[in-house]
Amino acid sequence: MRVGLVSQLVFLYAQAGLIQGKPVLRGLDPRLASRYEPSSDNMFACLDGSQRIPFGRVNDDYCDCADGSDEPGTSACPNGTFFCANAGHVPGTLSASRVNDGVCDYDVCCDGSDEWDSLIKCPNRCAEIGAKRRDDEEKLALANDAGMRKLQELVAQGRELRQTKSAELEHKRAELAKAEQEYSVAEAHKNELEQIQRDHETHNANTMQQLTTEYLEPVVQYRKELAAQLHILRAHRDTLIRLLKAVRDGHNVEFNDEAVAKVVHEYGEYAEALPYMEEAAQAYVDEDSKARKERELHMDRDSEEDDASLVLCVGAVDIAENELRTVNDDISVLLGWMRDLEGYNRNYHDLAVKGAVVALADFETAREREMSDVSSRHEAANIGELKSKYEEAKPLVDAIAPADESALNSEEENADTDDLEKQVADARSQFWDIQNEKTRLTNEVSNLRELLEEKDLGPHDEFLSLYKQCYSLDTGEYTYEVCLLDRAAQIENKNNARQNLGTFTEFGQNRELNYRNGAKCWNGPERSITVAFECAGVVELVEVKEPEKCEYRAVMTGPFACQLPVSGSEVVDGEAEEHTVKEHVHDEL
């Protein structure tokens, strides 16, 4: 709209200040005052040069110029700006759309001049805001000063630490060169002994193959004959145990029969020493003939697994023969006690004893028949020849693969074998020790070389002394942890669950630390965090936000955002220093 003459004067000459005693247009930046002098014909030229208008149309609350320059003090032009003098603070420039909008824009116009024709009044707060700004600037200056001193300290520490670690790297390299030589010697020695051992094993394998061809079949057959005999003898032993147990549990103690008492006492000691024997005998009694047959077949199948190997089969025969002797000894003792019962006092009508004596007669009849069958089977199988073959094979097998030291046929050959095995074991142990030492030194050299020659540790090694140092911030639900140039994590406080936020990959803009390739978010990206620094003398993690899903931004205070003194003589101990890192270009802090 157009306004009258009085209003024009209000708009046009409302003062925001004076320049050389002349009034300044409301909302006009004083630096542009010369551009707002009316021409000789009282015209105003738009700042973009697009047109000229009568000077009276400046600040008339109607936008004439395309660039909005004719309305510095009103909101008429959407692209216009309003200058706030803000005496006592710093001047500010506000978008024209915010002029007289009923909002006190103290963030830009602390003097309230933007609301000059508004329904609200904005008191001038520039003194208060300016004082706070100066206080903040003073604190910032102190922080910058402390940060600068801390940065100088870190640079000095980095220079010293680089020298120390460089010397350590050279020392480790020398140790590694020595370890590599020792490794080569130890490896050659180990390989030589292992080859000798392989040749020896090949010889033994060939010999064993020849023995297997000659002896396996008769030894297997001999084992099967022993197994069949053991089934019968175990049943005999179980029967005798069952009979004696019945006497022990059922005889009449009041008769005080000496023969019975003696047998019960001696059997009781036997049963107490070998309690599992009665359990086995009872199990034998409880199972029917079908179950017993299946159990014996299962035992035979287990034994047959050894029949493919002469070594295992010889071992199985050795076990079977030992058990055969044990079972026969048990039967001899048990049968003796049963026969002693036949001398019981027949004036006593002890039913348990009488029953056992009668059962003994039946047992011996059955045993004689079954043992006759065993003898016939052995004769048919030519058991003597089978046993002879086994006895030939056993010492030959034991000499190659002894079951124990006592089984060796040749003490001299065993000593040679043991000595070779010990030499190989010692050579391997020495080789592994040297290999471990070489691996350790290789890793240490690699880590030091990477740190000193490849890592970007800042233009002046300021990160070196704090490399991998971790800093944390508890935000209530989570604790965030950032380790300098290393890794970052989010830790859930209620259960200590840890999420990887990434590993350090590179410096970003303004020397920010970029941590990437963290744990993948559910239905989202891999977690990452970017760390920005504010200059200060103390390194702290002060803020963590998540502006995007699983993409975090953190703020740390510390000297890394501070500037070193301009004078090179003040950098470190009176000595200016530059450090170039391989394959990295350093920006200034």
Side-chain angles (χ1 to χ4, degrees):
M1 66 177 177
R2 298 299 181 189
V3 297
L5 178 61
V6 176
S7 296
Q8 285 189 26
L9 291 176
V10 172
F11 285 147
L12 188 60
Y13 293 110
Q15 295 182 6
L18 297 173
I19 297 180
Q20 295 179 350
K22 296 181 179 180
V24 180
L25 288 172
R26 185 188 301 278
L28 177 64
D29 186 338
R31 292 171 295 181
L32 299 176
S34 62
R35 304 283 297 276
Y36 283 79
E37 294 287 339
S39 64
S40 59
D41 56 353
N42 203 31
M43 298 292 286
F44 170 76
C46 298
L47 298 187
D48 62 1
S50 60
Q51 64 174 314
R52 296 173 76 244
I53 62 174
F55 194 77
R57 291 163 63 179
V58 174
N59 263 355
D60 66 347
D61 202 21
Y62 186 87
C63 192
D64 295 291
C65 295
D67 61 358
S69 56
D70 63 310
E71 296 297 320
T74 75
S75 59
C77 296
N79 57 342
T81 58
F82 182 89
F83 179 81
C84 307
N86 294 340
H89 187 36
V90 293
T93 300
L94 190 69
S95 170
S97 62
R98 295 169 66 182
V99 175
N100 291 326
D101 63 350
V103 178
C104 297
D105 297 299
Y106 285 121
D107 57 329
V108 180
C109 290
C110 62
D111 59 4
S113 59
D114 59 309
E115 297 300 318
W116 58 270
D117 190 25
S118 172
L119 295 177
I120 67 168
K121 297 300 180 182
C122 297
N124 189 330
R125 292 180 54 195
C126 286
E128 170 195 345
I129 295 174
K132 184 179 184 304
R133 178 184 65 83
R134 288 186 290 276
D135 183 57
D136 290 343
E137 288 177 346
E138 183 179 355
K139 290 178 180 177
L140 181 61
L142 291 174
N144 286 340
D145 184 61
M148 181 191 68
R149 290 196 302 272
K150 182 63 176 179
L151 181 58
Q152 288 177 300
E153 178 185 324
L154 291 180
V155 170
Q157 290 174 355
R159 182 166 68 96
E160 182 178 348
L161 191 55
R162 176 171 287 277
Q163 292 172 349
T164 301
K165 288 193 172 292
S166 294
E168 181 183 357
L169 176 58
E170 292 308 310
H171 177 68
K172 295 291 184 184
R173 280 173 168 159
E175 285 187 318
L176 177 58
K178 180 182 177 183
E180 287 173 339
Q181 291 179 345
E182 294 175 349
Y183 174 84
S184 298
V185 173
E187 184 179 35
H189 181 57
K190 176 184 74 73
N191 291 344
E192 180 183 3
L193 289 175
E194 287 177 338
Q195 185 59 50
I196 294 173
Q197 187 182 48
R198 283 193 294 271
D199 293 343
H200 182 71
E201 290 171 350
T202 300
H203 171 74
N204 286 346
N206 292 336
T207 302
M208 183 61 71
Q209 182 60 47
Q210 294 173 359
L211 293 176
T212 298
T213 301
E214 181 175 358
Y215 291 106
L216 181 59
E217 185 176 348
V219 171
V220 168
Q221 188 59 38
Y222 182 50
R223 183 199 64 73
K224 290 180 178 180
E225 292 299 320
L226 294 181
Q229 185 179 357
L230 274 170
H231 286 320
I232 295 171
L233 292 178
R234 291 188 192 108
H236 291 172
R237 181 176 60 187
D238 290 344
T239 299
L240 291 170
I241 289 174
R242 180 174 58 83
L243 292 175
L244 286 164
K245 180 178 182 296
V247 171
R248 183 197 62 190
D249 296 343
H251 77 285
N252 194 327
V253 180
E254 294 180 357
F255 290 155
N256 198 23
D257 190 319
E258 291 184 4
V260 174
K262 179 176 179 296
V263 169
V264 168
H265 173 73
E266 291 178 352
Y267 172 73
E269 290 181 340
Y270 172 86
E272 184 178 354
L274 304 170
Y276 55 88
M277 299 297 283
E278 284 191 350
E279 295 174 3
Q282 187 61 45
Y284 174 79
V285 172
D286 291 343
E287 65 183 358
D288 56 27
S289 59
K290 181 180 179 182
R292 185 177 304 123
K293 190 66 175 177
E294 288 180 354
R295 176 173 57 80
E296 291 176 353
L297 287 173
H298 182 71
M299 293 173 65
D300 289 340
R301 281 195 296 271
D302 288 344
S303 298
E304 287 171 1
E305 294 179 0
D306 297 336
D307 291 349
S309 165
L310 182 59
V311 174
L312 295 178
C313 194
V314 165
V317 169
D318 192 38
I319 293 171
E321 286 191 333
N322 288 333
E323 185 181 0
L324 200 61
R325 286 189 289 271
T326 300
V327 173
N328 277 322
D329 289 345
D330 287 343
I331 290 174
S332 177
V333 171
L334 295 168
L335 194 55
W337 288 331
M338 287 296 297
R339 286 171 178 164
D340 288 345
L341 285 176
E342 291 179 325
Y344 77 99
N345 190 335
R346 284 171 168 73
N347 293 323
Y348 300 140
H349 299 286
D350 194 326
L351 297 180
V353 176
K354 286 182 178 181
V357 170
V358 172
L360 174 62
D362 295 339
F363 167 78
E364 290 196 293
T365 300
R367 173 176 165 77
E368 183 178 354
R369 183 180 64 253
E370 290 175 353
M371 293 310 297
S372 176
D373 292 342
V374 168
S375 296
S376 298
R377 173 173 173 159
H378 282 177
E379 184 177 351
N382 199 358
I383 192 73
E385 179 64 23
L386 296 178
K387 180 177 177 63
S388 177
K389 284 291 186 181
Y390 161 73
E391 290 174 344
E392 287 179 21
K394 187 176 188 313
L396 298 175
V397 169
D398 286 346
I400 297 173
D404 52 55
E405 295 296 325
S406 63
L408 294 172
N409 185 47
S410 170
E411 292 184 2
E412 181 178 351
E413 183 176 352
N414 179 48
D416 292 342
T417 301
D418 284 350
D419 183 59
L420 177 58
E421 290 180 354
K422 185 177 185 306
Q423 289 182 51
V424 171
D426 290 345
R428 285 173 176 166
S429 179
Q430 184 182 27
F431 170 76
W432 291 330
D433 287 344
I434 295 173
Q435 185 182 55
N436 289 338
E437 178 67 5
K438 174 176 167 289
T439 300
R440 181 184 68 81
L441 289 169
T442 298
N443 291 336
E444 289 180 358
V445 167
S446 176
N447 292 338
L448 282 170
R449 183 186 58 76
E450 180 184 2
L451 177 65
L452 297 176
E453 299 177 6
E454 296 182 9
K455 283 285 184 185
D456 185 348
L457 300 167
H460 303 285
D461 277 343
E462 58 270 19
F463 280 97
L464 181 54
S465 62
L466 296 180
Y467 178 59
K468 292 189 177 182
Q469 182 72 41
C470 298
Y471 301 88
S472 61
L473 174 67
D474 188 342
T475 62
E477 184 178 0
Y478 299 104
T479 291
Y480 291 89
E481 183 180 71
V482 173
C483 302
L484 296 179
L485 309 189
D486 185 27
R487 57 181 174 77
Q490 179 196 65
I491 305 159
E492 193 168 352
N493 288 333
K494 68 178 181 180
N495 58 14
N496 210 35
R498 195 178 188 91
Q499 290 288 355
N500 176 19
L501 297 186
T503 54
F504 175 73
T505 55
E506 61 185 355
F507 284 97
Q509 188 177 13
N510 299 320
R511 305 296 291 171
E512 293 177 339
L513 306 184
N514 291 329
Y515 295 77
R516 300 293 183 262
N517 306 317
K520 193 175 190 314
C521 274
W522 183 83
N523 200 27
E526 291 180 339
R527 289 175 171 83
S528 64
I529 187 169
T530 298
V531 182
F533 285 101
E534 293 179 353
C535 180
V538 177
V539 182
E540 285 184 301
L541 180 60
V542 296
E543 181 181 271
V544 178
K545 292 183 178 179
E546 188 180 1
E548 299 291 339
K549 182 178 181 179
C550 296
E551 295 179 3
Y552 302 84
R553 288 197 64 83
V555 176
M556 292 184 71
T557 61
F560 310 112
C562 305
Q563 295 287 341
L564 285 170
V566 176
S567 173
S569 63
E570 296 181 64
V571 175
V572 183
D573 297 337
E575 179 181 333
E577 175 181 304
E578 285 191 9
H579 176 64
T580 303
V581 177
K582 182 180 178 181
E583 297 183 359
H584 287 272
V585 177
H586 293 283
D587 299 325
E588 289 301 314
L589 285 174

